[in-house]
Amino acid sequence: GRLSSLPQFAATVALAAEKFGPLRGVVAHSFGAAGTGWALREPLGVEKLVFVAAPGDLQGYLSGVRDLFGLTDVGLAHMIGNLERSFGIEWRRSRHATTITADATPMLVVHDEGDDETPYSGGLEIARAWPNSRLITTEGLGHRRILRDPQVLAQVTAFLAAGAAGFDRDAGPAAERKPESAFTRSA
């Protein structure tokens, strides 16, 4: 069909892990990262994660939907209630899908400061929540071009090809570092 949901994304990731696992790595973009995070509530045996342009707190996403369609706060609350009933989820937990399972799995977070679809603050939130993570900040790539940028692709490939930890031993914890690297691309 033409519509999907967080639980459906998560079920697809879990099915891929069941059919093709254990997974050496998962690279997920945008809402796919939220679905991956939600799927990881169950052990899937994923060795490394890469979240590109991923949302942090999904409440901001729904607030954008509210604004786009001119919904009131009451209308937004009704929509959230419908989501909870339709999919058997608790919004207060599922709204943090990309960070709910934060564990020691190595994660690379790549996000553009000027992403106009998924705010950069989401990438920061994920990198701070995930104990074994690194954030790569880009400029001028936006939400979609970030997926085709040769430097981003090289960084993601190097991370996935690296040893079990995926990071240099001397890099230190993500919370103590500035973004590892920043690329600039003209718009």
Side-chain angles (χ1 to χ4, degrees):
R2 296 176 51 189
L3 303 174
S4 191
S5 66
L6 181 64
Q8 290 168 322
F9 268 66
T12 301
V13 172
L15 183 62
E18 179 183 316
K19 185 167 178 83
F20 304 111
L23 301 176
R24 296 198 44 140
V26 172
V27 179
H29 175 253
S30 193
F31 199 68
T36 300
W38 191 252
L40 290 170
R41 293 176 308 141
E42 300 295 326
L44 300 181
V46 177
E47 292 179 26
K48 294 181 185 176
L49 295 163
V50 178
F51 282 1
V52 180
D57 184 344
L58 292 175
Q59 185 67 35
Y61 173 78
L62 277 189
S63 295
V65 169
R66 177 198 60 208
D67 296 345
L68 181 67
F69 292 108
L71 298 175
T72 63
D73 287 340
V74 171
L76 180 63
H78 183 71
M79 185 172 74
I80 289 170
N82 283 340
L83 287 170
E84 289 179 323
R85 284 186 298 283
S86 296
F87 296 107
I89 62 172
E90 293 179 60
W91 178 246
R92 65 180 178 78
R93 291 189 65 229
S94 60
R95 67 184 269 189
H96 298 284
T98 50
T99 59
I100 195 168
T101 56
D103 63 16
T105 303
M107 176 187 281
L108 183 64
V109 180
V110 185
H111 214 116
D112 192 83
E113 286 182 316
D115 188 327
D116 60 355
E117 292 185 43
T118 306
Y120 177 70
S121 59
L124 289 171
E125 179 184 342
I126 295 164
R128 287 182 183 130
W130 213 274
N132 192 17
S133 67
R134 178 170 292 159
L135 173 65
I136 294 177
T137 300
T138 64
E139 296 176 13
L141 296 176
H143 190 71
R144 299 196 194 298
R145 282 182 294 147
I146 198 168
L147 295 169
R148 296 182 305 275
D149 181 76
Q151 287 181 288
V152 169
L153 294 173
Q155 290 275 344
V156 169
T157 301
F159 169 72
L160 293 171
F167 301 117
D168 295 334
R169 294 174 212 245
D170 300 326
E176 297 174 9
R177 292 192 308 270
K178 297 288 182 194
E180 176 177 302
S181 56
F183 317 136
T184 303
R185 289 279 181 265
S186 59

